[in-house]
Amino acid sequence: MGLDYAWMRKVADELSEYAEQLEGSWSVEIGAGGPVMAMMSPVNRHERIAGRIRDQINQQIGATNPGWIAETGPEVEDPRVGRMRRPDVLVCEERALDSDRDSLAPDEVLACVEVVSRSNPSNDYVEKMADYPAMGIGLYMIVDPRNGTIAVHDEPLRGAYQNREQYIFGDTVGLGAWSIETGAFRRYGKAGDA
C-alpha cells in the first residue's frame, strides 16, 4: 500500500493546488477509490451546527481531556489504510496543530463529527463510516439535518464500529465524555433556505 498511497497523496496534493485556482471552496480527500475533489457548498445551517458542536466540546474538554481541542478544518490521514479525510469537526491533541505537517495522525484524534450535506449523504453514511473505524478513530458522530437525527458510533474493531446510539434533534447527546445539547440544531428547509 506504501507506493500506491504515496502516488494517491501526490495526486491529492496536485488536486489541492489546482483547487486553489478555482472559484468556490473545494475539498480534496482520499477515500477507498483514491483522491476525490468536491466542491464544498454547505449551507449556513450546516456550518452553524458544526460550530455549536465544536464550541460545546471545547467548553467541557479542559475537565475531561486537558491538552485536547475541538477544531474544524484539519485533515486526518492514515497512509497505512490509504485514507485522508477532512471531518466537519474533530477532537485532537492541541500540540499536534502546532506542527508543520499537512494533516493529523489518527492517534492524535479522539473523535470525528460529520454534518450530513444535502447533496452527498452517502459520503458520511457509507464511505466515512468505513474509513474512520479503519483508521482507528474511537468516536464518530453523524448529525443529519435532513431528518433531524444523530448517531454516535464507537468501539472500532476490524474496520467497523461495534456500537451505535441514536438520538434526535432536541436530545442531549453523549459523545464520549462530553454532552452535546442539540435543542438549537435546525433541520434543512427547502432548497435555497439557509
Side-chain angles (χ1 to χ4, degrees), residues 24-35:
S25 180
W26 293 82
S27 170
V28 177
E29 296 180 316
I30 300 173

Side-chain angles (χ1 to χ4, degrees), residues 123-190:
N123 190 38
D124 299 324
Y125 281 110
V126 178
E127 288 91 355
K128 291 181 180 182
M129 181 64 81
D131 293 346
Y132 289 142
M135 289 192 273
I137 303 298
L139 291 167
Y140 176 38
M141 183 166 87
I142 302 174
V143 180
D144 195 337
R146 296 171 316 140
N147 58 21
T149 61
I150 301 163
V152 175
H153 304 269
D154 65 2
E155 294 190 27
L157 180 65
R158 292 188 289 277
Y161 287 109
Q162 303 304 300
N163 291 319
R164 179 180 81 179
E165 295 290 328
Q166 288 286 130
Y167 302 91
I168 59 171
F169 284 16
D171 289 345
T172 299
V173 174
L175 178 63
W178 316 295
S179 295
I180 309 298
E181 296 297 332
T182 67
F185 292 9
R186 297 291 173 255
R187 294 175 64 173
Y188 293 139
K190 293 178 238 133

Side-chain angles (χ1 to χ4, degrees), residues 23-95:
E23 192 173 313
S25 180
W26 293 82
S27 170
V28 177
E29 296 180 316
I30 300 173
V36 177
M37 185 170 97
M39 185 170 199
M40 298 186 323
S41 58
V43 295
N44 293 340
R45 194 158 291 160
H46 176 283
E47 296 302 299
R48 189 63 193 119
I49 290 171
R52 283 187 165 115
I53 293 167
R54 178 201 58 222
D55 294 348
Q56 288 185 54
I57 293 171
N58 282 332
Q59 289 171 359
Q60 302 168 55
I61 204 163
T64 62
N65 300 81
W68 293 73
I69 189 169
E71 280 294 339
T72 56
E75 297 167 342
V76 59
E77 180 177 24
D78 191 343
R80 164 185 68 85
V81 295
R83 301 293 185 276
M84 179 181 70
R85 292 298 188 172
R86 182 185 302 250
D88 291 319
V89 179
L90 60 71
V91 178
C92 65
E93 289 183 86
E94 193 166 6
R95 67 178 174 77

Side-chain angles (χ1 to χ4, degrees), residues 10-25:
K10 183 178 186 295
V11 170
D13 290 343
E14 290 171 1
L15 284 172
S16 292
E17 287 178 25
Y18 174 71
E20 290 175 9
Q21 302 168 23
L22 299 175
E23 192 173 313
S25 180

